[in-house]
Amino acid sequence: MRAEVLVIWVALTLCCAPVAAREDVEEEDKLSGDRVQVRETRGLVEPRRRTEEGGVGMSDEPAEVVPDESKKPKKKKTPEEIEAARAKKAAEKEAKAKKQKAPKPTKKPKGPKPTKKPKAPKPTKKPKAPKAPKATKKPKATTTVQPTTTNRPALDEEEERLLIELGWDTLIPPVTPKGPGGEEPVEPGLGEVPGGRPITTTTEVIMYIPVAAKKQEEEEERARIAKAEKAERERKKWEEEEEERLKQISVPVEPKKCPPLGLESHRVEDDQLLASSQSHHGFTAQRGRLNMQGSKDEEDLYGGAWCAEPEEKNHWFEVDARREVEFTGVITQGRNSEQLEDFVSSYFVAFSNDSRDWTTLQDGYAEWLFYGNVDKDTPVLGQFSPPVVARYIRILPQSWNGSLCLRAEILACQLPSSYRSENEVNPSDDLDFKHHNYKDMRQMMKVINEECPNITRIYNIGKSSQGLKMYAMEISDNPGEHETGEPEFRYTAGLHGNEALGRELLLLLMQFLCKEYNDGNPRVQRLVDGVRIHLVPSLNPDAYELAFEMGSEMGNWALGHWTEEGYDIFQNFPDLNSILWGAEDRGWVPRVVPNHHIPLPENFLNGSLATETKAIISWMERNPFVLGANLQGGEKLVAYPFDMQRPVISLTDSRRWRSNADMNEETWARIQRQRDGSLRETPDDAMFRWLAMSYAHSHLTMTETYRGSCHGDDITGGQGITNRASWDPVVGSMNDFSYLHTNCFELSIFLGCDKFPHESELPLEWENNREALLSFIEQVNRGIKGVVRDVEGNPLPNATISVEGIRHDVKTAPSGDYWRLLNPGEYRVTAKVDGYTPQTRLCMVGYDSGATSCSFTLAKSNWDRIKQIMAINGKRPIRLVTKVNAPKPTAASSPATATVDSHASAQNAERLRRLRIMRLRRLRQQRLRAGLSTTPATTTTTTTTTTAAPTTIPETERTTSWYDSWFPVDSWNTENPFDSVIFNSAPTQDYPFEYTID
């Protein structure tokens, strides 16, 4: 029924459209009031307003119609907005049409101009048209439309529903299609007056349309913004709900990071470690420490791990923390063995507060099974989340490879307590206690240099194999130059990259010296002003970066120990010990081979030397170091040279030594001890022992050896020091090379059991080593010092300083000054240099601090003349041939000698005269010895041989080792004044020695 009514209504509307256009404005308002509102929302407001403005019967006073019409749109704004909102969702295409048409009036710049024209009343003068009554004579349109007015509300609602369902475009195109301009069609009759003439547009109508469109756009914009804000609020609300939901879900929390409890560093004592059983006496629970090293004998008293009895069923390894702590993890490792692969592959962890009731850690479903090692060396970390608060912890092995053997470290954080533990240290120094990689180390040294530019200097001694610079910090009152009389000292660290404690201690020492010097500490100022200190924190930077990447606890015993090329820098120096000892066995020291500054073997630098080693050797030779130490790790002691074991002397060698009348009883006893392999002493053994004790006894804990060493028995005898050759001998060590090739006395300081301690342990280690580091530097002023000059006051470099009773000499620096480390006592000291007469002085060394001054002034000797004579013979010593006495040779011998050395004819006569004198003296002594008288026949023979001697000597000398003439022969009894000089003087650098050792 509704559909039929709608069809009839649409037909009537289309038929009566021309008639309705000619009706009065009031009737049109009654018939299509609601329809006008709909059309106004679709852009049809302007034609209707033109019709209303041009009506004749509207009012008698046209002037009053204009303001009334201007008020009408204002009253219709509210229904327009309501209708626009209702039609927005139903007719999206019509809304697009509105938006296309609405902006058009705004583009007319002539809109404001008509408001200024007074000719606006002209449209009111047009009611005279005779055609106006024609529209009123057609009542049929009104009568036909009258019945529909009663059903207008229902029809309007039906029209709206129809428009919503079908769309406006389905009704309008058949009636009035769009014009050629593309404008929206207008209903017929709405833009005309009853006379058929178009209505002119007033200024108010032109201005109203853009305002309404703008208002509508603003409403749409507000609606869009409100919608966006609502969407944003909903999004934020959803995010908050999602975040809250994620919080409620059980997500694994990042485990808490805690320092090690101290199994590796031995802060956990032996009685804090227990186990269910042990395989035998060498593998107790006390051996179950991370990185524990076993002895070479696999069945020795000191094995490389805790190993359980295989017959037992329940196995456990227990650690007592002695107070409640937060346990956060366990690090496990296999057995240290060269032959076997023993390690635990899985385990449980249990906790207790009384060591009787144990609770196994669970993961929320069952007992938490931790996966252990896959090899014997690499540490594996098992973390707990969340931490567990308890006093006791047990590792319960479940599966293992080979035998059940374990090394472990426990990670735990101390709980806040009202009382202070003895292990807690609060250092008084405001220093940077952390591990520094290469970049951080360089930055730290730069900051120190900027804080103390007047006493510090940064330089590098060379580059590593990977191109990293080996930085050094010089601390002195005049950095960059050597001062006469000021000794030079060095600390080096990082020979092995994974031994990081020495590196950090030297960085802390740099900071300490800088701060204390600026604060006026008298002790530090005295050290800086009186000693030129060199600190090198990293001699193997490439390997350290590798160990630093793995972390303090996760690197094994060997990771980062060697360079990138595979060298152990500490044992990569030339073996000068064998050269010295071989020369001593043959009696070549000091005439052929000196006992100090032994030259490097030929082409040794081109051999298997690391890049870092070559840089260190060059650095040693450039600076006249007096004392030094290299900081290492893995043990807690001070080792002094010799580091290499001397080969056992054979019986024939000992007999030869015993037959030597120059050997005293003390030397013989020392050689016998060396033969038994008990000691490997240096000539300065007493001095080295004092230097080692000065550090060990200044250290807070190094002499506490009642628990043994880090990996075995106490080898120091309770003193914290040992001879390296008797403990762990090595060949080609840095200490031995420094002692035999330079003036520097160098020792190795092993700082602790843990090579790479945790960052939290650095304050404690600094407190333990601070006084020892300073005390050892002060030992550089122990002994004697002085300057060697000539009579004119010029310094004499490379002068040899010999101390009676000590078969090891030192040399003066380029500035003529020297330092000789000696213990208190009286010493006969001799200074010798080529071309000068040696001088001997008695020097006293007291117990007061500071070195005793002992300088020398040397006068020139005839050594220059001796060198001239040797130059005539090709810079070789003159071989003296034993012959019988002969009368003075005739002048004919002079031309024969001159033929041999034509270039030295002017000196021939003097040379021959001296030779004759020596021969006569030898013949005289031979006669006295043999009791024989010379005969004319002998004289004749001698005469002939004497003349030939000058020509034959040079020829035979070329095929004989030059040093054979340096040793006295029984028949060479002469009073030659040069014999004492030649035979008793030590070799010098001016003399090109060559020697071989069988």
Side-chain angles (χ1 to χ4, degrees):
M1 185 66 182
R2 285 183 180 179
E4 295 176 359
V5 173
L6 285 174
V7 172
I8 295 171
W9 180 80
V10 170
L12 291 174
T13 303
L14 294 175
C15 296
C16 300
V19 179
R22 297 182 180 89
E23 289 179 354
D24 295 338
V25 176
E26 294 179 357
E27 292 178 359
E28 184 68 17
D29 292 337
K30 292 179 181 180
L31 294 174
S32 60
D34 295 334
R35 188 184 306 170
V36 169
Q37 292 178 3
V38 175
R39 287 169 181 169
E40 285 175 354
T41 60
R42 294 175 175 83
L44 302 178
V45 180
E46 182 178 351
R48 181 180 178 275
R49 286 179 179 173
R50 290 176 183 175
T51 306
E52 291 176 354
E53 186 177 1
V56 178
M58 186 71 177
S59 174
D60 296 335
E61 298 178 2
E64 295 178 357
V65 176
V66 175
D68 293 337
E69 291 298 323
S70 64
K71 293 180 182 179
K72 272 186 178 182
K74 295 180 182 178
K75 294 179 182 180
K76 293 181 181 181
K77 287 180 182 179
T78 301
E80 287 174 2
E81 294 173 1
I82 296 171
E83 191 64 25
R86 294 173 59 187
K88 182 178 180 181
K89 296 181 181 180
E92 292 180 357
K93 295 182 180 180
E94 297 173 11
K96 293 179 182 179
K98 284 192 307 176
K99 291 179 181 179
Q100 293 174 359
K101 186 176 181 180
K104 288 182 180 180
T106 60
K107 295 179 182 179
K108 297 178 181 180
K110 298 179 181 180
K113 292 180 180 179
T115 56
K116 297 179 182 179
K117 295 179 181 180
K119 298 179 181 180
K122 286 182 179 180
T124 57
K125 296 178 182 181
K126 293 181 180 180
K128 297 179 182 181
K131 295 180 181 180
K134 291 181 180 180
T136 57
K137 290 179 181 180
K138 294 180 179 180
K140 293 181 180 180
T142 57
T143 54
T144 55
V145 177
Q146 287 294 335
T148 61
T149 57
T150 56
N151 298 330
R152 181 62 56 188
L155 292 174
D156 291 339
E157 292 177 1
E158 293 296 333
E159 181 184 8
E160 288 180 10
R161 293 172 184 172
L162 183 62
L163 292 175
I164 291 172
E165 295 175 0
L166 303 177
W168 179 260
D169 296 336
T170 57
L171 299 177
I172 296 303
V175 182
T176 55
K178 290 184 179 181
E183 296 180 357
E184 187 174 343
V186 182
E187 186 176 353
L190 292 179
E192 297 178 349
V193 293
R197 291 175 301 175
I199 300 174
T200 59
T201 304
T202 62
T203 303
E204 293 179 355
V205 175
I206 294 173
M207 293 300 296
Y208 172 75
I209 292 175
V211 171
K214 183 177 181 181
K215 186 69 175 178
Q216 185 173 356
E217 288 181 0
E218 290 178 355
E219 292 295 332
E220 291 178 357
E221 183 67 18
R222 281 195 295 269
R224 187 185 64 79
I225 294 173
K227 184 177 181 181
E229 291 177 352
K230 183 179 179 181
E232 183 67 17
R233 287 195 300 271
E234 292 179 354
R235 185 184 65 81
K236 289 182 179 180
K237 183 178 179 181
W238 179 85
E239 289 179 354
E240 292 176 357
E241 293 177 353
E242 185 68 15
E243 185 178 356
E244 187 67 23
R245 184 180 65 83
L246 292 176
K247 287 181 180 179
Q248 296 177 358
I249 299 175
S250 58
V251 179
V253 183
E254 183 179 357
K256 185 177 181 179
K257 296 182 179 179
C258 287
L261 195 61
L263 274 73
E264 182 180 5
S265 63
H266 283 247
R267 285 189 293 111
V268 173
E269 299 181 359
D270 289 346
D271 58 356
Q272 294 178 249
L273 303 178
L274 296 175
S276 57
S277 62
Q278 62 189 44
S279 60
H280 55 280
H281 55 271
F283 296 88
T284 61
Q286 288 72 30
R287 307 298 296 175
R289 301 174 184 269
L290 193 69
N291 288 318
M292 176 62 71
Q293 300 298 296
S295 59
K296 295 180 180 179
D297 185 3
E298 296 288 346
E299 304 298 329
D300 195 9
L301 292 173
Y302 301 101
W306 162 69
C307 295
E309 172 63 41
E311 300 298 330
E312 291 286 335
K313 295 183 179 180
N314 298 324
H315 305 286
W316 49 265
F317 177 81
E318 179 181 326
V319 180
D320 178 11
R322 289 186 174 171
R323 59 182 293 188
E324 287 189 353
V325 296
E326 276 187 318
F327 292 108
T328 60
V330 171
I331 302 175
T332 60
Q333 197 178 33
R335 174 185 174 185
N336 172 242
S337 173
E338 296 180 357
Q339 303 174 2
L340 304 176
E341 288 282 340
D342 299 333
F343 53 85
V344 173
S345 57
S346 65
Y347 59 91
F348 292 128
V349 179
F351 302 93
S352 175
N353 286 324
D354 55 7
S355 74
R356 292 188 299 271
D357 299 330
W358 293 88
T359 302
T360 303
L361 185 64
Q362 302 204 0
D363 58 1
Y365 301 95
E367 294 180 344
W368 194 342
L369 182 66
F370 291 90
Y371 293 100
N373 304 90
V374 295
D375 58 41
K376 62 183 180 181
D377 294 323
T378 306
V380 175
L381 172 63
Q383 293 179 296
F384 313 146
S385 180
V388 179
V389 178
R391 173 177 172 176
Y392 300 91
I393 183 173
R394 276 185 178 179
I395 300 175
L396 310 175
Q398 300 300 308
S399 61
W400 52 87
N401 183 78
S403 300
L404 199 169
C405 294
L406 175 71
R407 291 181 288 174
E409 179 63 87
I410 307 299
L411 304 182
C413 292
Q414 300 293 333
L415 297 176
S417 177
S418 58
Y419 62 92
R420 178 175 174 175
S421 173
E422 60 182 9
N423 291 333
E424 295 177 3
V425 175
N426 295 320
S428 57
D429 303 319
D430 184 17
L431 305 177
D432 186 14
F433 295 103
K434 72 172 186 178
H435 287 291
H436 299 78
N437 59 11
Y438 180 79
K439 182 179 179 181
D440 295 337
M441 178 192 71
R442 185 173 55 184
Q443 181 64 25
M444 171 61 67
M445 297 175 71
K446 182 179 179 182
V447 170
I448 296 172
N449 179 248
E450 292 174 352
E451 291 182 0
C452 302
N454 56 329
I455 63 170
T456 61
R457 179 177 73 98
I458 300 175
Y459 67 98
N460 72 85
I461 65 176
K463 291 185 178 181
S464 66
S465 58
Q466 297 297 315
L468 298 181
K469 294 182 179 180
M470 301 156 64
Y471 287 104
M473 170 76 78
E474 178 190 341
I475 302 178
S476 174
D477 56 343
N478 291 308
E481 61 178 285
H482 171 75
E483 299 181 60
T484 302
E486 183 175 281
E488 302 208 15
F489 176 91
R490 70 169 182 247
Y491 269 135
T492 57
L495 286 164
H496 306 137
N498 59 345
E499 297 169 2
L501 181 55
R503 175 194 184 103
E504 300 307 324
L505 287 180
L506 292 190
L507 291 176
L508 293 171
L509 182 60
M510 294 177 193
Q511 301 175 55
F512 178 80
L513 293 176
C514 175
K515 292 179 182 294
E516 295 299 314
Y517 188 89
N518 291 338
D519 294 342
N521 187 325
R523 183 186 186 187
V524 173
Q525 288 183 341
R526 185 170 59 252
L527 276 177
V528 174
D529 295 340
V531 183
R532 190 182 182 197
I533 305 171
H534 301 258
L535 306 178
V536 185
S538 183
L539 289 176
N540 191 359
D542 299 337
Y544 176 82
E545 293 300 304
L546 181 62
F548 179 82
E549 184 179 356
M550 291 302 298
S552 62
E553 306 302 325
M554 300 311 295
N556 57 35
W557 187 258
L559 181 65
H561 185 85
W562 297 276
T563 65
E564 288 291 332
E565 298 173 330
Y567 293 105
D568 184 340
I569 298 179
F570 182 74
Q571 306 177 34
N572 190 231
F573 289 83
D575 176 17
L576 303 182
N577 302 60
S578 298
I579 297 175
L580 175 66
W581 294 335
E584 285 182 350
D585 292 344
R586 290 166 176 80
W588 294 351
V589 177
R591 294 185 178 94
V592 179
V593 178
N595 59 22
H596 65 99
H597 288 80
I598 300 176
L600 299 178
E602 187 178 357
N603 295 327
F604 191 87
L605 293 177
N606 298 328
S608 58
L609 282 185
T611 305
E612 295 83 355
T613 307
K614 295 178 183 178
I616 296 171
I617 292 175
S618 177
W619 178 56
M620 289 179 176
E621 295 174 343
R622 290 195 306 267
N623 299 277
F625 293 112
V626 181
L627 180 63
N630 52 82
L631 308 182
Q632 301 186 39
E635 277 288 352
K636 187 181 287 188
L637 52 86
V638 180
Y640 57 89
F642 281 125
D643 294 353
M644 177 181 173
Q645 280 188 347
R646 183 168 185 169
V648 177
I649 301 175
S650 64
L651 183 60
T652 56
D653 291 337
S654 65
R655 286 175 181 173
R656 182 176 61 81
W657 276 86
R658 188 57 176 165
S659 62
N660 191 341
D662 296 336
M663 182 180 299
N664 54 28
E665 293 298 330
E666 182 181 355
T667 305
W668 172 253
R670 180 169 63 84
I671 290 174
Q672 293 305 309
R673 291 197 302 268
Q674 289 179 343
R675 180 184 176 190
D676 296 337
S678 59
L679 291 176
R680 304 293 179 266
E681 299 173 349
T682 64
D684 289 284
D685 184 70
M687 189 68 230
F688 273 115
R689 289 179 63 85
W690 169 259
L691 294 173
M693 292 181 67
S694 68
Y695 192 97
H697 288 249
S698 300
H699 193 281
L700 297 185
T701 61
M702 191 168 286
T703 56
E704 296 177 1
T705 59
Y706 53 86
R707 290 191 299 266
S709 68
C710 295
H711 307 283
D713 285 330
D714 176 28
I715 57 176
T716 67
Q719 300 299 317
I721 66 173
T722 185
N723 174 258
R724 178 67 181 264
S726 62
W727 164 52
D728 183 21
V730 294
V731 178
S733 71
M734 181 177 177
N735 296 343
D736 290 354
F737 177 83
S738 179
Y739 180 69
L740 297 177
H741 188 67
T742 69
N743 290 338
C744 185
F745 286 36
E746 183 147 6
L747 302 86
S748 294
I749 300 174
F750 293 83
L751 298 168
C753 304
D754 191 353
K755 288 185 175 183
F756 205 133
H758 191 267
E759 195 171 275
S760 61
E761 298 182 11
L762 293 179
L764 175 63
E765 296 296 342
W766 168 248
E767 291 295 323
N768 290 339
N769 290 274
R770 179 182 57 190
E771 177 60 29
L773 290 169
L774 298 176
S775 177
F776 190 76
I777 297 176
E778 293 172 341
Q779 303 307 312
V780 75
N781 290 315
R782 190 179 184 86
I784 61 175
K785 66 178 182 179
V787 181
V788 180
R789 300 184 178 90
D790 60 11
V791 292
E792 298 177 355
N794 299 319
L796 298 176
N798 292 325
T800 302
I801 307 299
S802 303
V803 179
E804 185 178 351
I806 302 177
R807 302 177 60 183
H808 181 79
D809 303 336
V810 298
K811 284 191 175 183
T812 56
S815 56
D817 48 351
Y818 78 94
W819 302 264
R820 184 60 166 94
L821 298 178
L822 294 170
N823 283 323
E826 294 184 2
Y827 299 94
R828 291 180 59 86
V829 184
T830 302
K832 296 178 292 185
V833 66
D834 295 345
Y836 294 85
T837 303
Q839 183 182 4
T840 303
R841 289 190 57 184
L842 183 64
C843 302
M844 301 286 296
V845 179
Y847 291 91
D848 297 335
S849 60
T852 302
S853 179
C854 189
S855 299
F856 297 89
T857 301
L858 305 183
K860 286 189 176 182
S861 68
N862 55 359
W863 183 245
D864 291 338
R865 177 60 182 162
I866 297 171
K867 289 197 296 185
Q868 290 177 5
I869 297 174
M870 295 173 64
I872 296 173
N873 294 273
K875 292 185 179 182
R876 294 175 297 179
I878 301 171
R879 178 182 294 277
L880 304 178
V881 182
T882 305
K883 297 293 181 181
V884 296
N885 194 9
K888 293 182 179 181
T890 61
S893 61
S894 296
T897 307
T899 57
V900 179
D901 300 311
S902 59
H903 65 281
S905 58
Q907 300 176 358
N908 244 350
E910 182 66 21
R911 174 174 173 274
L912 292 175
R913 188 183 66 82
R914 291 180 181 275
L915 289 174
R916 294 187 195 106
I917 293 172
M918 289 188 292
R919 293 190 189 100
L920 289 174
R921 288 177 179 174
R922 290 197 186 95
L923 289 174
R924 210 174 285 121
Q925 290 178 0
Q926 287 178 0
R927 290 194 198 102
L928 293 175
R929 227 180 251 181
L932 300 175
S933 59
T934 59
T935 61
T938 308
T939 303
T940 306
T941 307
T942 306
T943 303
T944 56
T945 56
T946 302
T947 55
T951 58
T952 57
I953 288 174
E955 294 298 326
T956 57
E957 188 67 23
R958 292 172 186 159
T959 59
T960 308
S961 299
W962 64 268
Y963 51 78
D964 291 345
S965 62
W966 285 63
F967 297 99
V969 184
D970 294 340
S971 61
W972 290 8
N973 295 322
T974 178
E975 297 179 4
N976 180 16
F978 305 109
D979 288 349
S980 61
V981 178
I982 296 175
F983 292 149
N984 297 334
S985 63
T988 60
Q989 286 187 351
D990 296 337
Y991 203 93
F993 293 108
E994 295 179 3
Y995 55 89
T996 59
I997 297 176
D998 297 337

